[in-house]
Amino acid sequence: MKTEKVDVLVIGAGPSGTVAASIINKAGFKVKIVEKMKFPRFVIGESLLPRCMEALEEAGFLDAVKEKGFQEKFGAKFVKNGKVCDYFFADQFTPGWSWTWQVPRGEFDKTLADTCEKMGIPVCYETTVTGIAFNGSDSVTTIEDIDGNKSQIEARFIVDGSGYGRVIPRLFNMDKPSNLPPRKALFTHTVDTKRTMDDEPNRITIIVHQKGIWIWVIPFSNGITSVGFVGEPDFFKSNEGTPEEQLRALIATEPYLRERMQDVEFVFEPRVLESYSVSTTKFYGDGFVLTGNVTEFLDPVFSSGVTLATVSSQIAAHLVIRKLNGENINWETEYTEPMMQGVNTFRSYVMAWYEGTLDTIFFADDQVEEIKSMICSVLAGYVWDIKNPYVKDHTTALTKLAKLIRLRDHQKV
Ligand SMILES: Cc1cc2nc3c(=O)[nH]c(=O)nc-3n(C[C@H](O)[C@H](O)[C@H](O)COP(=O)(O)OP(=O)(O)OC[C@H]3O[C@@H](n4cnc5c(N)ncnc54)[C@H](O)[C@@H]3O)c2cc1C
């Protein structure tokens, strides 16, 4: 069987794989990316957060992405029963990026992968990792191309950025259930001809449809808008028919969208994703590190996925470089702990969202600007800034604030 030798094999050419590949390649190591699909390919995860710009910048991707003219995103707007709560990233507590993009991921991910190729990193498309044998930290990976031809890659280290493919956790039985309950999403892209500037295409809109059920509205610069309903799987049972019939029926019941999306053309038959929250027993091992979705995926509500994917790769890439240069790395304190700091902060916000705690905070009258700016930083993805009390005390701060608001509102009555 044909065998090739590299320093680092990266599995997957999504944001996490490409960011890691670029940073490691820049340090002078021989890197190769193996990607199962032909690009552009569809993947969900279209609303980015400002914090991911730091990772894209370090990876050298910003200029190429800017050239694509994607929709710029300056904030997040929450809507419930006609009430609106707008967060502008420029108002955030943590110093950092105040904007990012809303992107059709097929085109965005292809831009990152093409930029890697321009940097001299080979991207081997339509090729699947099917097996890995570790010998200490060295490994031999078996790959199979679309015609069924098998070959091997010997690597000193592997970065697994295979997203929903979860290559290493599946091969080595490392998958672990999430502590979040199963949820479902039904979504499509729409030809949004009735969109006006009043619809504020420069930010994501999140509509509380009913308790536990919400809708994302993510406009792109090409006139297409991504729309998806998310919530408990049982909710979706009330509508019968094809996915298109079901989604049209749901849109017709939402006053905020009904007019704009009535008779709108769907770009593709609505897709369903279910029980996507998942975790793994460990984030690293001898000769490999997991990045992006392979580590833990929580929930779409705060658009944390691509940010966690790119930031995990940014951190992991530097550790891989140090490891290949002969340093001893404490992966637990230098990788797992910082990653869990970010993941757990978002987890508290996701739980507070579904419990209704964040509804109380987002739609309260007379909000305190300083507190709003702290919450805004989390929504911008700055979940590693422990100077922010709403990051540092993420498990309790929101509940305490919601209690105070309820008490205040009760006394007003
Ligand atoms: C309903 C829903 C909505 C979401 N909305 C958002 C959002 O608005 N914003 C956001 O930031 N995130 C969102 N996410 C999360 C987002 O989809 C992911 O977090 C993000 O795509 C992770 O990037 P990644 O690079 O880790 O993986 P991916 O982007 O999935 O890339 C992994 C790549 O690995 C390849 N691969 C898989 N298996 C193999 C194999 N065996 N061999 C070789 N290659 C392989 C795949 O083909 C793929 O191209 C959403 C998720 C869901 C479920």
Side-chain angles (χ1 to χ4, degrees):
M1 207 186 304
K2 204 178 95 194
T3 302
E4 184 185 352
K5 271 191 182 178
V6 297
D7 292 315
V8 179
L9 167 66
V10 174
I11 310 174
S16 83
T18 49
V19 164
S22 166
I23 296 174
I24 298 168
N25 172 70
K26 279 198 212 174
F29 293 101
K30 188 176 177 195
V31 181
K32 184 184 179 85
I33 304 178
V34 172
E35 166 56 53
K36 188 174 166 179
M37 309 290 285
K38 184 177 175 189
F39 274 24
R41 55 88 177 89
F42 181 86
V43 67
I44 198 65
E46 298 150 333
S47 178
L48 311 184
L49 300 182
R51 175 59 181 88
C52 84
M53 304 295 265
E54 292 182 20
L56 298 177
E57 185 172 36
E58 192 187 345
F61 293 157
L62 278 187
D63 288 344
V65 181
K66 270 182 196 158
E67 267 177 32
K68 295 286 164 179
F70 292 123
Q71 174 64 54
E72 292 177 345
K73 170 185 173 185
F74 295 93
K77 171 175 158 184
F78 295 87
V79 178
K80 183 182 181 184
N81 297 335
K83 268 194 149 184
V84 171
C85 168
D86 249 328
Y87 280 93
F88 294 103
F89 299 137
D91 299 334
Q92 67 156 313
F93 170 86
T94 306
W97 281 78
S98 59
W99 66 278
T100 184
W101 285 289
Q102 291 167 168
V103 296
R105 281 285 302 282
E107 216 185 322
F108 175 75
D109 289 15
K110 185 171 185 318
T111 307
L112 307 190
D114 287 350
T115 310
C116 279
E117 284 191 301
K118 283 187 192 141
M119 291 170 174
I121 305 165
V123 185
C124 198
Y125 289 105
E126 296 186 280
T127 302
T128 303
V129 168
T130 55
I132 302 172
F134 284 101
N135 180 10
S137 54
D138 292 339
S139 56
V140 179
T141 295
T142 305
I143 58 173
E144 191 172 331
D145 72 17
I146 195 167
D147 300 317
N149 302 311
K150 287 189 178 176
S151 59
Q152 290 187 324
I153 299 176
E154 288 179 16
R156 294 169 64 199
F157 210 88
I158 298 178
V159 175
D160 184 358
S162 60
Y164 301 100
R166 310 189 61 72
V167 171
I168 289 185
R170 282 194 178 143
L171 285 175
F172 297 95
N173 292 323
M174 287 157 53
D175 268 342
K176 190 172 100 175
S178 165
N179 69 341
L180 297 171
R183 296 201 168 89
K184 176 171 168 171
L186 175 68
F187 57 92
T188 190
H189 286 173
T190 64
V191 184
D192 196 7
T193 48
K194 289 190 206 153
R195 183 206 294 173
T196 67
M197 286 317 284
D198 288 345
D199 293 313
E200 290 139 343
N202 61 3
R203 47 202 184 269
I204 186 172
T205 299
I206 291 176
I207 305 156
V208 181
H209 180 63
Q210 62 182 63
K211 191 165 170 16
I213 310 294
W214 60 275
I215 308 162
W216 78 66
V217 181
I218 304 173
F220 302 140
S221 56
N222 59 4
I224 302 294
T225 295
S226 176
V227 179
F229 278 71
V230 184
E232 288 142 24
D234 276 355
F235 164 77
F236 293 88
K237 288 187 183 150
S238 50
N239 286 295
E240 288 179 350
T242 63
E244 169 156 1
E245 286 163 348
Q246 289 181 37
L247 189 55
R248 288 200 186 280
L250 287 174
I251 287 172
T253 60
E254 173 48 53
Y256 189 84
L257 278 185
R258 192 186 296 140
E259 193 57 37
R260 172 170 159 198
M261 295 280 165
Q262 199 185 26
D263 304 325
V264 78
E265 183 187 331
F266 289 174
V267 178
F268 53 80
E269 174 80 352
R271 299 176 187 222
V272 171
L273 281 174
E274 208 168 344
S275 303
Y276 32 67
S277 308
V278 63
S279 185
T280 173
T281 51
K282 52 182 188 169
F283 287 4
Y284 62 89
D286 206 5
F288 72 87
V289 62
L290 312 180
T291 60
N293 252 37
V294 190
T295 55
E296 173 151 10
F297 178 67
L298 296 168
D299 191 271
V301 67
F302 297 119
S303 309
S304 59
V306 172
T307 292
L308 291 173
T310 51
V311 176
S312 61
S313 289
Q314 197 186 9
I315 298 174
H318 287 287
L319 298 176
V320 172
I321 293 165
R322 283 172 47 203
K323 158 90 184 149
L324 294 180
N325 283 331
E327 266 188 62
N328 266 336
I329 306 296
N330 186 335
W331 290 92
E332 197 56 34
T333 56
E334 297 193 63
Y335 187 61
T336 304
E337 285 176 17
M339 280 324 297
M340 287 317 289
Q341 155 68 37
V343 169
N344 284 335
T345 303
F346 273 121
R347 191 193 319 276
S348 294
Y349 280 68
V350 167
M351 288 163 75
W353 170 255
Y354 286 101
E355 283 158 12
T357 310
L358 278 174
D359 270 23
T360 307
I361 295 170
F362 287 170
F363 302 106
D365 297 327
D366 308 322
Q367 297 190 29
V368 178
E369 287 307 318
E370 198 188 352
I371 294 179
K372 201 172 169 193
S373 75
M374 291 169 179
I375 294 174
C376 184
S377 281
V378 173
L379 302 181
Y382 283 87
V383 286
W384 289 273
D385 176 16
I386 52 166
K387 284 196 201 115
N388 180 352
Y390 281 80
V391 170
K392 185 166 176 279
D393 306 321
H394 59 85
T395 50
T396 52
L398 296 174
T399 332
K400 281 185 192 159
L401 176 61
K403 243 188 210 167
L404 281 174
I405 292 170
R406 283 192 208 107
L407 204 67
R408 180 199 68 181
D409 290 353
H410 182 72
Q411 278 167 355
K412 268 193 207 162
V413 182

